[in-house]
Amino acid sequence: MNAMKTDDDIGARPQGRPSASLSPGDYEALRDRLAALLESVLSLEMVDETDRRTLAAVIKKVLEDQFRFVLAGEFQCGKSTTFNALCDGRELSPRGMGMKTSGCVVSAAHLSDPKADEYAQVTWRAAAELSGGILDLLYSRMKRLSPRRFAAGGSAGGQTAPDLDHPADRDLLMAAALAEWEAWRRDRGGYDPDRRGRLDVLRCATLIARYWAEDGLTRLRRRETFSLSEARGFMTFPVDWEERWLAGDPESFSAEEATFLFVRAVRLHIHSPHLSRLGCVVVDCPGLFASRWDTQTARAAMADADAILYLFDGSRPLKRSDLKALAFIRGNDMVHKLFYGCNLRGLSIADSDRVLEASLASLRGQGFSAPPDRVAAFHARLGLTAARANRARPDRDQGREGMAESDCAALLTDIRKTLSVLGIDAKDGENGALDAESIVQARRFSGLDGLMGMAETAVIRRKARSVLVDNGARIGLDILREAAGTLLNRENAARLATRAFRDQAAEAETALRRFEGGCRLAIDRLDDPEPDAAMAADLWGRLAAAREELCDGCAERIRKEVLTRRNLAALALRRKVVEDEIIRILESEMTERFEAVIHGWLSEIREGRNPVYNLRIARPVGTVSGELKRIWTESGLGEMEMLSGVALPAFTGVPAVERERLFREMADREILNDLRNHALTAASLAGVFTAASGLLAGVVGALSRVFWAAVASAAVLVVNGLILLLTKGMVKETLQSEIRSRLSPVFIQIFDDIEPEIAAAFTDFSAGIRTLYRNAFLSAVEKPRALFEERRRRAEADFEQHREGRDAVAREARRLRKEMIEPLVGRLEGFVGEVKAYVD
């Protein structure tokens, strides 16, 4: 048999000159080299403590900032199968097999230390998160059960949400859930006509109220790390979930079986040659629209991703539900991350190609760009089977998975059958045994490597520049050059007479004062509040533009969820119940659409894609940055030995690009305490820069102050109109336009009422961004003064020594500079040049 590369051999580290494009293996090798170089900088004794902390944070970020690929798609589209295939065929994420899996995010990352034990890191849902996830369904019932508790009004997400840590609130939540169960029993078929997951939200709410304070679960939630087998039990619904809920009794589940409800995310740290080679974190994302909290969990995972791989069924053309999910991704301004994977199932390659073309036509018809370099066909099951076979093959020396001979034969049979369906002649192994050649063939035709490579190729250049250069090597170079300048100053100052040194210091002092004065005048230009109104107007314009669509959506849901379930008598006799249903629909639609618009807007700002932000804030930031550089150059300070090696940072105003540089300039400085928006600061320095939670809370607060009176009036108006029209004999199916005509003036009034408060919230947000950059510039301008004072103090101390002692100080400073710092500077500069050869 001819020798072939096995699955473990593919993707070796790059050697020699860069290839035309940067592969995942190339990136991983460059990342590891940069971490080693920065570790060398960190080991230098002359690096001060503040810079040490900065370097340690940068190294950690470089090593952790792997590509994040979120697998998104509908239930049973092959997400978990694909996830497990990419994790070397291990059954880590529960596969649906026709049943529901959990709504938590499951991700997997390679453990770089081969001796380290595998483990799972669990992130638990907070009480407020759980309350927010179920409140859409139960809020109106809780308000009726306890009017005094909710006397202040509010809405889901507002200040009146029940506190799960308070026994009375848990009892109230359980009472509301039991009342909702009665509504389900009265009309099981019509309880959730659009299949929006209402019944599962009710089931989850009931278990949350029952088990949140249970002692065993409380102890469990104090832990963060678990074994892989322990964590697997936290990821999935019980297998007989549906059957055991037929009685609507939470006591049919134990606390252990309800644990998955309280888990937000599970990160699996595993030894995976495939993930190591890909250099990425793979994320299995919960489905969209199953419930509000599933949607929020999925959106958060996608917002944090470098690429979203939307998987759809290749056995039939794209469904309307797929287009709805993709529209959701577009509405949250994440379409630039979007890639498409067509999961081949049960069809030949030729037939699958025809289905794929039909699906792509549907995408383009809906305005989605689907160029060839963003679309890949793959076979999830074949990829998983090939990966499992690779783990079990007898010629593997390491990581072999023990498997019975009959199971190995079954894997080989499965591979051959699947290849045959695809129209491919399978390789024959020796005596029907698993062998490298047939496994590699299966892996190749599964298309999984191409699927991941497609997305990686598109995002890797941006990541390489941001992580490896702007927020990595250049920070290390700044620190090295500053340390070299300090040593050069010690070397030269030690050979000067005391008077000559003090004359130099006086000259530098005068130039430094002129520099600081000129810089402050330039920085003060960022105090202009005019951009804030423009930013708020841009956001409000987008919200206002969604009003008509919001009105249409509410009218459609009221027709489907209210009219299709109730006759005229029910509308008249149960008017309050119907009004509450309409209020719930209006609240839910408005909150979801507002969240989508705001998340998209914030994403544009974070990544520098918002035209108003770029013109009104980013451009002035860039102008001030250039002005400070000019003032520094004209001051001559950079040529003075007292300030040798000092460089001012260049800011572009794009937060996602320069997060680490912002952090470096402001870390450990009192100036951080002066920022007006601490949430914004924390988000910026963490690299998130969405501040979404704070802003959305402000929006929901603004809604709550005007929402209930207006919406209650709208509900009464709609119900009265429906009864009147139905009495006159109008057919239910024709009432949607009538509902809309009654809602439209109400929404106009609501929008008019909340505009000032929401505009004020986003005006403050814009002012917070300006303040962030203003303080970063002030901190950068203060740094030369602090360094000057430190160098002068050190030189004065050196002058206290005898001449022979000063000569020894000069020789040692020169040796350190020549033998330790300058070689590292050369290596880092060479590294930057190598990365730029890939990405420029």
Side-chain angles (χ1 to χ4, degrees):
M1 183 180 297
N2 294 331
M4 291 184 64
K5 283 186 178 181
T6 69
D7 195 51
D8 292 336
D9 297 325
I10 302 170
R13 298 291 181 268
Q15 301 291 333
R17 294 172 60 83
S19 58
S21 62
L22 191 62
S23 72
D26 296 333
Y27 178 86
E28 186 181 78
L30 289 168
R31 183 197 66 195
D32 292 345
R33 279 177 52 201
L34 176 60
L37 286 170
L38 296 179
E39 287 283 1
S40 297
V41 177
L42 188 61
S43 69
L44 299 176
E45 293 183 4
M46 68 285 303
V47 174
D48 67 33
E49 190 57 36
T50 298
D51 285 340
R52 283 180 186 281
R53 285 194 291 270
T54 298
L55 273 174
V58 169
I59 292 168
K60 185 173 185 289
K61 186 69 175 176
V62 164
L63 291 175
E64 288 182 350
D65 203 352
Q66 296 174 291
F67 301 108
R68 289 181 57 84
F69 290 99
V70 166
L71 307 178
E74 278 211 311
F75 177 60
Q76 292 289 287
C77 70
K79 294 192 302 294
S80 296
T81 301
T82 305
F83 179 92
N84 292 333
L86 294 171
C87 295
D88 302 277
R90 300 171 65 178
E91 292 286 348
L92 298 173
S93 183
R95 290 191 283 158
M97 300 299 188
M99 60 167 281
K100 185 184 297 294
T101 50
S102 91
C104 77
V105 169
V106 181
S107 61
H110 173 64
L111 267 173
S112 56
D113 183 356
K115 297 180 181 179
D117 292 331
E118 295 183 327
Y119 67 98
Q121 189 173 3
V122 174
T123 304
W124 299 94
R125 296 185 192 272
E129 181 182 0
L130 290 167
S131 295
I134 60 182
L135 216 55
D136 272 0
L137 179 65
L138 298 178
Y139 183 82
S140 59
R141 288 195 181 278
M142 287 189 290
K143 188 176 181 182
R144 288 199 302 274
L145 288 169
S146 181
R148 181 178 299 178
R149 169 69 177 79
F150 297 97
S155 63
Q159 295 302 309
T160 55
D163 182 358
L164 291 176
D165 292 320
H166 195 287
D169 276 13
R170 287 198 305 275
D171 291 342
L172 176 61
L173 183 61
M174 180 62 82
L178 293 176
E180 190 72 12
W181 277 111
E182 287 302 316
W184 169 75
R185 292 185 182 96
R186 286 193 299 269
D187 187 12
R188 298 189 183 196
Y191 186 74
D192 190 10
D194 291 336
R195 297 187 178 182
R196 294 173 62 89
R198 288 188 69 200
L199 183 56
D200 272 330
V201 175
L202 175 57
R203 292 164 172 169
C204 294
T206 310
L207 291 176
I208 288 167
R210 169 66 180 82
Y211 287 117
W212 170 260
E214 198 271 340
D215 289 342
L217 275 177
T218 301
R219 288 192 297 270
L220 201 64
R221 292 199 305 270
R222 296 193 185 108
R223 292 176 57 188
E224 294 182 0
T225 58
F226 298 84
S227 69
L228 298 187
S229 60
E230 285 178 310
R232 184 173 172 80
F234 302 159
M235 298 181 199
T236 184
F237 284 70
V239 293
D240 50 357
W241 173 257
E242 297 285 344
E243 293 82 355
R244 288 162 70 185
W245 269 116
L246 291 177
D249 182 9
E251 298 298 331
S252 62
F253 296 90
S254 67
E256 291 74 16
E257 290 174 315
T259 303
F260 75 92
L261 288 169
F262 304 95
V263 175
R264 181 194 302 138
V266 178
R267 168 66 70 85
L268 307 173
H269 298 265
I270 62 174
H271 297 295
S272 169
H274 189 64
L275 288 183
S276 173
R277 184 171 67 252
L278 290 173
C280 69
V281 175
V282 181
V283 182
D284 191 1
C285 189
L288 294 168
F289 309 124
S291 70
R292 182 176 178 181
W293 90 48
D294 280 352
T295 298
Q296 289 176 330
T297 300
R299 177 165 53 203
M302 291 188 291
D304 195 34
D306 298 297
I308 300 168
L309 298 176
Y310 189 86
L311 309 181
F312 56 89
D313 188 345
S315 66
R316 56 186 173 185
L318 208 63
K319 296 182 293 185
R320 289 183 60 186
S321 53
D322 286 309
L323 294 173
K324 180 184 177 184
L326 290 167
F328 176 86
I329 292 171
R330 178 166 57 189
N332 281 275
D333 197 50
M334 294 183 285
V335 73
H336 60 288
K337 302 179 181 182
L338 197 54
F339 298 82
Y340 306 96
C342 178
N343 185 10
L344 310 177
R345 315 162 56 128
L347 297 180
S348 68
I349 291 179
D351 289 338
S352 295
D353 285 343
R354 286 190 286 271
V355 172
L356 178 58
E357 283 304 315
S359 295
L360 294 179
S362 296
L363 283 173
R364 297 183 184 112
Q366 294 295 317
F368 289 94
S369 174
D373 62 347
R374 285 184 171 251
V375 181
F378 74 107
H379 199 297
R381 181 180 171 185
L382 181 60
L384 177 61
T385 306
R388 290 189 64 206
N390 187 60
R391 290 179 60 82
R393 74 173 195 260
D395 57 315
R396 281 177 63 100
D397 294 327
Q398 294 181 347
R400 185 183 176 195
E401 187 175 86
M403 188 175 292
E405 188 173 321
S406 59
D407 292 332
C408 293
L411 286 175
L412 185 60
T413 299
D414 195 1
I415 287 173
R416 289 174 175 169
K417 284 182 177 179
T418 305
L419 289 174
S420 176
V421 170
L422 291 173
I424 299 163
D425 292 330
K427 300 285 186 182
D428 286 328
E430 294 181 358
N431 300 319
L434 292 173
D435 67 290
E437 188 171 354
S438 57
I439 293 169
V440 168
Q441 181 194 31
R443 182 76 190 199
R444 182 169 66 252
F445 283 106
S446 76
L448 281 175
D449 292 329
L451 178 77
M452 296 298 287
M454 168 190 70
E456 286 168 326
T457 299
V459 299
I460 200 168
R461 288 175 180 265
R462 175 174 56 84
K463 294 283 287 187
R465 178 179 291 282
S466 174
V467 176
L468 300 183
V469 176
D470 295 333
N471 293 305
R474 283 182 175 157
I475 290 178
L477 280 169
D478 287 348
I479 290 172
L480 280 176
R481 287 167 179 155
E482 191 177 291
T486 296
L487 291 171
L488 180 63
N489 184 67
R490 287 196 74 189
E491 178 185 344
N492 293 334
R495 292 186 171 128
L496 288 174
T498 304
R499 183 182 180 86
F501 173 79
R502 288 178 177 162
D503 287 343
Q504 279 190 6
E507 180 186 1
E509 173 73 42
T510 301
L512 198 55
R513 286 177 180 168
R514 286 198 301 268
F515 162 75
E516 291 169 339
C519 287
R520 291 182 190 281
L521 288 174
I523 293 170
D524 284 346
R525 291 204 293 273
L526 292 179
D527 276 341
D528 180 10
E530 185 179 346
D532 305 336
M535 291 283 287
D538 178 52
L539 184 277
W540 179 253
R542 299 185 188 207
L543 292 174
R547 190 184 67 213
E548 295 302 314
E549 183 182 349
L550 172 65
C551 198
D552 290 336
C554 289
E556 182 179 6
R557 281 189 62 186
I558 290 170
R559 180 183 67 80
K560 288 182 177 180
E561 298 178 26
V562 177
L563 289 184
T564 59
R565 294 171 49 195
R566 302 186 185 279
N567 56 31
L568 177 60
L571 288 176
L573 294 175
R574 308 195 65 193
R575 182 188 298 264
K576 184 65 170 66
V577 173
V578 175
E579 289 173 3
D580 287 343
E581 289 182 14
I582 292 173
I583 289 172
R584 175 186 58 78
I585 289 170
L586 299 182
E587 177 193 15
S588 171
E589 285 290 318
M590 177 170 274
T591 303
E592 287 183 11
R593 290 176 192 271
F594 270 39
E595 285 181 351
V597 172
I598 292 168
H599 275 286
W601 187 77
L602 291 168
S603 176
E604 286 183 8
I605 291 172
R606 183 182 67 247
E607 297 174 9
R609 295 181 291 107
N610 181 284
V612 176
Y613 174 82
N614 290 343
L615 177 65
R616 297 302 189 97
I617 293 184
R619 180 180 289 182
V621 166
T623 300
V624 170
S625 184
E627 181 72 2
L628 298 190
K629 288 280 190 182
R630 182 189 64 77
I631 295 170
W632 174 261
T633 301
E634 292 178 355
S635 72
L637 286 167
E639 307 301 320
M640 296 181 182
E641 291 176 359
M642 291 292 290
L643 287 164
S644 175
V646 175
L648 294 186
F651 291 123
T652 65
V654 181
V657 171
E658 52 209 20
R659 61 184 185 271
E660 310 304 333
R661 196 166 285 274
L662 280 166
F663 177 78
R664 183 184 177 222
E665 292 308 318
M666 295 193 292
D668 298 325
R669 292 179 179 272
E670 287 299 318
I671 204 163
L672 273 176
N673 297 327
D674 298 332
L675 292 179
R676 288 183 291 170
N677 193 331
H678 292 277
L680 174 66
T681 307
S684 302
L685 301 184
V688 180
F689 203 79
T690 62
S693 59
L695 283 174
L696 289 172
V699 170
V700 170
L703 283 171
S704 70
R705 279 181 277 278
V706 301
F707 188 82
W708 288 104
V711 169
S713 299
V716 171
L717 184 67
V718 170
V719 172
N720 289 340
L722 291 177
I723 293 174
L724 176 63
L725 293 168
L726 287 171
T727 301
K728 292 181 177 180
M730 185 172 285
V731 180
K732 287 183 178 181
E733 286 69 20
T734 66
L735 285 176
Q736 186 166 325
S737 62
E738 297 294 333
I739 298 171
R740 191 194 185 289
S741 68
R742 284 163 170 74
L743 289 178
S744 183
V746 175
F747 275 120
I748 290 173
Q749 184 61 51
I750 291 174
F751 273 65
D752 287 344
D753 288 343
I754 65 177
E755 179 180 4
E757 193 163 352
I758 292 180
F762 283 90
T763 297
D764 290 343
F765 173 75
S766 175
I769 297 176
R770 289 188 298 101
T771 302
L772 175 71
Y773 276 104
R774 184 179 184 278
N775 282 289
F777 281 129
L778 287 172
S779 180
V781 169
E782 290 172 357
K783 192 170 185 178
R785 164 70 64 180
L787 191 61
F788 167 75
E789 298 292 351
E790 173 58 25
R791 288 179 177 178
R792 179 162 61 180
R793 183 197 63 76
R794 187 64 179 265
E796 294 282 3
D798 288 343
F799 279 125
E800 297 297 321
Q801 303 182 55
H802 295 294
R803 183 73 209 181
E804 294 81 2
R806 291 204 298 273
D807 286 344
V809 167
R811 287 194 301 272
E812 179 61 11
R814 179 178 178 80
R815 184 189 70 79
L816 292 173
R817 187 166 56 85
K818 291 293 185 182
E819 295 180 9
M820 302 190 73
I821 291 184
E822 289 184 2
L824 267 177
V825 168
R827 290 165 65 191
L828 274 172
E829 287 177 338
F831 176 86
V832 169
E834 187 175 343
V835 175
K836 292 182 71 176
Y838 280 116
V839 300
D840 286 346

